[in-house]
């Protein structure tokens, strides 16, 4: 973990870019800036999940382990695609050995809240059926995708569905009121976002809707009974306080929650695997967390089979 690596990533993220004039231009710029090659030991594919196009990722050259990873990409509910986050999700696939699916959920402003939640819930329903049970499914997401992963769990609970084995969130955006303290204290330190950026995404996604609605801002939800949660966040983020308050809320609701803060790194620093030691360390930890909770299900089944005999 070197200061030189962190400084290089920060400088890369601060390179000046032309201000996009339209949402379409912003999406094109995001694709150009974020998309990275998928590792050679992960095989991509296409499918439909929950009625939406989706990208699949599977470990190459070996039979995938039991279980499924539903990965929900970030982008403020306005930009981003499964392709922009395929390399990030692939880093989990190669460590976990499971298949992942990244649904192409609908984006605002064309399809505002709750379209993304509806699409993610439909994807989760179908993936649970394929996996055979909900405890063979784990959810992950970054930024808005992290908030969406938690909203999916809440929507599944409201629908009476069984919940996934665990949830992993990178730099989650869970407060669309944009009221976190680090919106002020990290403004200018964050090389990617300003509070105005976050406010713009919230306005496009919610319009005049209730910004404290639990499926929009899971920070304000009742989290009792939800799955084990791992939160990873960088110390240089305006969204740092979203992660800190989410961990506090989860703990207050008697939830199994782990919070890891890496100092002096940016929003979703895990994108920089291979360039930043902290990114690889975080991904190793994330994969171990998901593996532990998927394995817990297998241990329970094995014990039950022995008891039945």
């Amino acid at each position: 973990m070197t200061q030189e690596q962190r400084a290089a990533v920060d400088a890369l993220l601060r390179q000046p870019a032309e201000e996009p004039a339209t949402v379409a231009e912003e999406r094109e710029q995001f694709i150009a800036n974020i998309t990275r090659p998928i590792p050679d030991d992960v095989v991509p594919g296409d499918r439909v999940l929950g009625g939406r196009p989706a990208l699949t990722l599977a470990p190459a050259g070996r039979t995938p382990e039991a279980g499924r990873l539903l990965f929900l990409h970030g982008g403020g509910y306005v930009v981003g695609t499964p392709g922009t986050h395929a390399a990030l999700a692939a880093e989990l696939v190669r460590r976990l050995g499971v298949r992942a699916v990244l649904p192409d959920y609908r984006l605002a402003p064309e399809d505002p809240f709750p379209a993304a939640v509806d699409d993610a819930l439909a994807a989760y329903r179908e993936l649970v059926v394929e996996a055979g049970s909900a405890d063979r499914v784990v959810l992950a997401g970054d930024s808005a995708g992290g908030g969406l992963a938690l909203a999916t769990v809440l929507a599944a609970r409201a629908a009476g569905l069984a919940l996934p084995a665990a949830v992993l969130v990178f730099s989650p955006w869970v407060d669309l009121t944009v009221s976190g303290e680090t919106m002020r204290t990290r403004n200018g330190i964050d090389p990617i976002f300003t509070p105005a950026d976050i406010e713009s995404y919230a306005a496009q996604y919610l319009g005049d809707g209730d910004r404290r609605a639990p499926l929009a801002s899971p920070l304000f939800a009742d989290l009792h009974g939800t799955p084990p949660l791992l939160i990873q966040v960088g110390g240089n983020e305006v969204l740092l306080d979203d992660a800190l308050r989410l961990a506090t809320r989860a703990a207050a609701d008697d939830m199994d929650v782990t919070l890891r803060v890496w100092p002096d790194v940016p929003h979703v620093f895990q994108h920089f695997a291979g360039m930043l030691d902290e990114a690889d360390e975080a991904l190793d930890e994330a994969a171990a967390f998901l593996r532990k909770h998927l394995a817990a299900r297998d241990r329970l089944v094995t014990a039950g089979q022995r008891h039945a005999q």
Side-chain angles (χ1 to χ4, degrees), residues 13-153:
L13 293 171
R14 291 185 189 276
Q15 289 182 351
E18 184 176 344
E19 190 69 23
T22 65
V23 171
E25 290 181 1
E26 185 178 5
R27 289 171 179 163
E28 290 173 2
Q29 187 179 89
F30 189 83
I31 290 170
N33 291 342
I34 299 298
T35 308
R36 290 177 172 80
I38 297 172
D40 291 339
D41 55 356
V42 175
V43 179
D46 296 309
R47 63 167 297 179
V48 174
L49 183 69
R52 294 290 300 169
L55 173 69
T56 63
L57 299 169
R62 55 177 167 149
T63 302
E65 301 289 338
R68 296 287 191 278
L69 168 63
L70 180 64
F71 191 99
L72 299 166
H73 72 79
Y77 299 106
V78 173
V79 300
T81 70
T84 58
H85 288 66
L88 176 57
E91 292 293 343
L92 292 172
V93 168
R94 66 199 307 226
R95 287 167 167 81
L96 266 177
V98 302
R99 291 186 179 93
V101 188
L102 289 77
D104 191 11
Y105 62 85
R106 289 171 291 169
L107 298 176
E110 299 91 336
D111 293 290
F113 174 82
V117 180
D118 291 343
D119 290 348
L121 179 60
Y124 174 71
R125 282 181 184 271
E126 189 170 323
L127 205 59
V128 167
V129 173
E130 287 186 12
S133 65
D135 51 14
R136 284 197 177 277
V137 176
V138 289
L139 266 61
D142 71 294
S143 194
L148 182 56
L150 289 165
T152 302
V153 169

Side-chain angles (χ1 to χ4, degrees), residues 226-237:
T226 51
L229 173 66
L230 173 61
I231 306 165
Q232 295 183 342
V233 66
N236 286 355
E237 305 191 39

Side-chain angles (χ1 to χ4, degrees), residues 198-262:
I198 306 301
E199 173 62 33
S200 174
Y201 286 138
Q204 291 180 80
Y205 183 51
L206 272 179
D208 295 329
D210 179 7
R211 294 198 178 189
R212 294 177 63 93
L215 294 186
S217 295
L219 178 64
F220 304 113
D222 178 354
L223 299 175
H224 284 94
T226 51
L229 173 66
L230 173 61
I231 306 165
Q232 295 183 342
V233 66
N236 286 355
E237 305 191 39
V238 294
L239 286 174
L240 171 60
D241 203 41
D242 278 46
L244 301 180
R245 289 178 295 152
L246 175 63
T248 299
R249 179 61 183 260
D253 284 351
D254 200 28
M255 186 177 175
D256 179 348
V257 58
T258 302
L259 169 69
R260 283 294 308 274
V261 183
W262 271 262

